[in-house]
Each structure stands twice: as C-alpha cells, then as structure tokens.
C-alpha cells in the first residue's frame, strides 16, 4: 500500500475540538493513522464477542503489531489504558472512530463497474464501517442504466453531477489503467478530496487530495520475493 | 496494507547466487521490497512508451516516492544508474524482476469466488505480472462446478488437492471474515508459503508463511481521517 504522493505528508493534525475529545491533542503521525483501522477492526471483533476490556498485548497480536507499537500509537490519541486493567474496548473504539472521522458517514462514488467495481458496489462492510456508496459510473453503454447494489450506473458525462449532486468526498477508481488518470482528474475536478485507486498505475493528484492505491498484483509480487528466497526459484 | 505478523521481519535476504545477479548482494529491507513492484510498474509503462533510459527523478515521481528514496532502494540491488545518463529501463526492469522472483511463474489458488473472487480470477494483470491462477475454491454448492476465468470452481474438501496438485505456492483469500482463518490454516496445511487476504479481519500464519492483507474499508477509513480534518465534520 503506497500513498503515491511526491512529497508525502509525515504528520496529520488531529487538533480540532473533539477530534480526540481533548483540546490540544498531539499530532497523529500518518503511519499511526494507517494502523488505526486495523486496531478498530480488532476492537469491533472483541465487541462482537462481548469482550469489555483488552490488553495491549491482545490488541497488538490481533492487529499484527508489537504491543510497544500499539501503546505508542494509542498514546497519540491520549489513550494509555489502565495498568492491570488494560483498555476499555468500547471507549477505545469510539476514540479511534472519532479520530478517523467515522462518526459522520462518508459518501463514496465508484468509477469502473467491472468485476471489481461490482464487488465494491455491493460490499456490505463499507456500510458497517461508516461509508455509503452513493454513485456508480462506467463508460460501457451496456452497463449504463443497469442497477448494481441498488444504484443505477451513470455514464462518464454524468460523473461531475453524480459526485457534486450526492456531495461525495471520496472516489474509488476501478477502471483500466489506461483511463485511470483521466478519471482521477475528473473526480478531483468534481470535488472529491480522497481517492482510492485499484488501477495498476501511479496516479497524480493535487496536494489537497489524498490518494491511496491498492495494487493487487504488486502484493503478489511482494509475496513472490519471499517465495523465491524460500524455494530458490526464479533467480 | 499491513503485514499482519506478530514480529515482522525487518530484513529479507536476497543473497542466493543470481538473486541480484551479483554474489554477496546486500540485504534488501522489506520496506524496499514493498516498493519494488511500484518501480517495476513505472518501468513497464516506460518500456511500453518506448523509453530506453530514465532518470531517478522521473522514476521516483512515477512511483510517488522521493528520488533520494528511489536511489537508496535501488542501491540495495547494486543499481546506481549512470551520472548524466540515468537508468537503463530494460536492464533495471530485469534486475527488479529477478530480485522479486518474477522470472519464474508463480501459481496462485483463489478461495472465495464471490464478486471479488470473480474479479481476481479473471484479472488479466496477474498473467502480465508473472502469476498464473491455477485453482478456484468456493463453499457455495451453486458455484462449485461452474467455470470462472477458464477454471472450474472446486469444493472446500478439494482445497488441499487443488493446491498441492497444481503446486501452488500462493493463496488468495476472498472469503467472508468469519471463515478466513480456517481457510488460511487449510492453505498453509496444503503448502502455500504466501497468502494475500482481502477478508476484513486479522489472520495468524506460522513464521514460514508470508501474509499480506488488503482491507479496502480500512483504506477508506484512512482517507476519511484526512477528509474529517479538511471539512471538520465527524469530530
């Protein structure tokens, strides 16, 4: 997972009143922000299991980090847990949700309704995590007008209206690589401030827009590196 | 993107003869390994455009890193480029491919053939990047026996045979979170050494298995953090 920005921001302020429930909260490093969803995911699992308090060790193990890393990350939220008691699962979940801005539902538009776009359009986990897919756009005339996940697929010409009309702030790009940059530019022009791309190519966005990229083939290539080392093949 | 391992390895040796085409090559930090596919992606784009040489600035910009970072990463491969000339696109591509172990095709089995599994099973980019999907498994009786991306979907009972029979070394988990750990354990028992999971929950694997996790909802949550900071909503 790379944030494809020429000069990546190293810190992200979380100091609005209430951002962490404490005025003058410390900066939250973006590396910590990137780990918070993982902690929240583990906490939600514990809540579902009826667990009320958890230890930094249990939480760290579930998230795949060291407990030292976990405690350091949570300290940026002003959350230190209580010696001998640990962390209150519900309270910590709420704290992280507030810091991540999940207490307000975010509206998402998906561009590119192929197999992946279909999967994303009907991905129930989005709703559970505070996101609402409010628009679908695809260039294929055979898809335009069809309904996916309860939404009608709109043509590219409608992209700006779909985004601004629904006041969407996040765009997901699931198009072929060749058109991804154009789609990205159109989403930015339409007003989104966050873009998640699955297109296997680097994209450029202005400084005020955050870009996250998921390149599935790259993930496999990283696994291949370790596989080669183990089997000694491919070299 | 997190590598969900209790004690993440910080370095990965690439010292087999030929690993980098140079005996006694330096260790390649896993953080560098994680960026190599991005560089390779940009290099492939340049090759497609008929570009023969590139500068560290051009390559870095395309990959979304600083040129200093790029030069440092490539130095681990023993590749420094030539002053005033830059990097030979084809040679550097080959170097990275060898280090990543992409000169041998890796065989992949996908478990969970829902919308996402469908998308992955017919994802042409895998083949372009040196991966062959050789098996599909799903628990839904309505799916078992159907053909997706040229492969017949097999039942869970056949998972071990599908993996060992095709000598697959990488498993992709696209199942619901509830069964992901069981599927993960079965893939490991069947002999895969690399797992890429899309299930929205942390998974445990033995030390000899590499785990990469893509949690799409978490990526959106990271974007939401910046959105909240910008709009001041959700706090």
């Amino acid at each position: 997972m790379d944030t494809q920005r020429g000069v990546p921001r190293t810190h992200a302020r979380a100091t609005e009143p209430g951002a962490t429930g404490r005025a003058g909260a410390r900066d939250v490093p973006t590396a910590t922000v990137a780990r918070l969803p993982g902690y929240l995911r583990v906490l939600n699992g514990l809540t579902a299991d009826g667990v009320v308090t958890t230890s930094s060790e249990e939480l760290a193990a579930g998230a795949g980090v060291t407990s030292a890393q976990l405690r350091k990350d949570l300290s940026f939220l002003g959350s230190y847990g209580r010696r001998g008691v640990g962390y209150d699962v519900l309270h910590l979940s709420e704290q992280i949700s507030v810091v991540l801005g999940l207490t307000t539902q975010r509206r998402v538009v998906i561009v590119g309704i192929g197999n992946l776009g279909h999967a994303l359009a009907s991905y129930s986990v989005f709703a559970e995590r505070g996101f609402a897919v409010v628009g679908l756009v695809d260039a294929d005339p055979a898809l335009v007008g069809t309904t996916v996940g309860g939404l009608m697929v709109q043509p590219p010409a409608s992209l700006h209206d779909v985004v601004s009309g629904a006041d969407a702030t996040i765009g997901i790009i699931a198009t072929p690589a060749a058109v991804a940059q154009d789609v990205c530019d159109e989403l930015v022009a339409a007003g989104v401030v966050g873009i998640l791309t699955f297109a296997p190519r680097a994209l450029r966005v202005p400084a005020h827009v955050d870009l996250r990229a998921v390149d599935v083939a790259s993930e496999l290539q990283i696994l291949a590196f370790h596989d080669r080392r183990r089997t000694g093949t491919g070299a």
Side-chain angles (χ1 to χ4, degrees), chain A:
Chain A
M1 178 75 228
D2 48 356
T3 74
Q4 305 175 323
R5 305 173 62 194
V7 183
R9 176 194 304 143
T10 55
H11 277 65
R13 297 197 66 77
T15 53
E16 301 89 336
T20 64
R22 304 161 67 248
R26 296 166 60 188
D27 287 359
V28 181
T30 47
T32 293
V33 171
R35 284 185 289 268
L36 292 180
Y39 301 153
L40 187 58
R41 191 176 54 194
V42 177
L43 289 166
N44 292 341
L46 292 171
T47 304
D49 297 342
V51 178
V52 176
T53 60
T54 182
S55 65
S56 55
E57 291 71 18
E58 180 180 34
L59 193 45
V65 301
T66 63
S67 52
Q69 177 73 74
L70 174 93
R71 285 189 295 268
K72 185 158 187 280
D73 285 338
L74 296 187
S75 70
F76 288 108
L77 280 56
S79 186
Y80 298 90
R82 276 188 296 149
R83 187 173 304 281
V85 178
Y87 297 90
D88 180 292
V89 173
L90 267 186
H91 178 256
L92 185 54
S93 302
E94 290 166 4
Q95 235 179 340
I96 293 177
S97 297
V98 168
V99 171
L100 287 176
L102 304 179
T103 50
T104 292
Q105 191 179 55
R106 306 287 155 173
R107 287 172 291 282
V108 180
V109 168
I110 302 174
V111 183
I113 313 301
N115 286 318
L116 176 60
H118 260 90
L120 296 170
S122 44
Y123 191 41
S124 60
V125 175
F126 282 166
E128 299 164 11
R129 306 273 199 100
F131 298 92
V133 176
V134 295
L136 307 178
V137 174
D138 196 283
D140 181 355
L143 275 175
V144 174
T146 63
T147 301
V148 177
L151 290 170
M152 184 175 291
V153 180
Q154 305 293 327
S158 307
L159 189 148
H160 193 289
D161 295 344
V162 169
V163 171
S164 55
D167 193 20
T169 55
I170 294 175
I172 295 181
I173 299 176
T175 67
V179 300
Q181 185 62 60
D182 291 342
V183 168
C184 180
D185 296 341
E186 290 167 29
L187 284 169
V188 170
V192 306
V193 291
I195 289 179
L196 174 61
T197 177
F198 291 84
R201 63 162 293 168
L203 298 179
R204 297 174 303 281
V205 292
H208 74 282
V209 175
D210 286 294
L211 177 69
R212 304 281 298 178
V214 173
D215 183 339
V216 179
S218 290
E219 298 302 332
L220 288 185
Q221 291 178 326
I222 294 166
L223 289 175
F225 172 83
H226 300 292
D227 181 19
R228 179 190 62 69
R229 287 179 43 256
R230 196 171 292 104
T231 60
T233 60

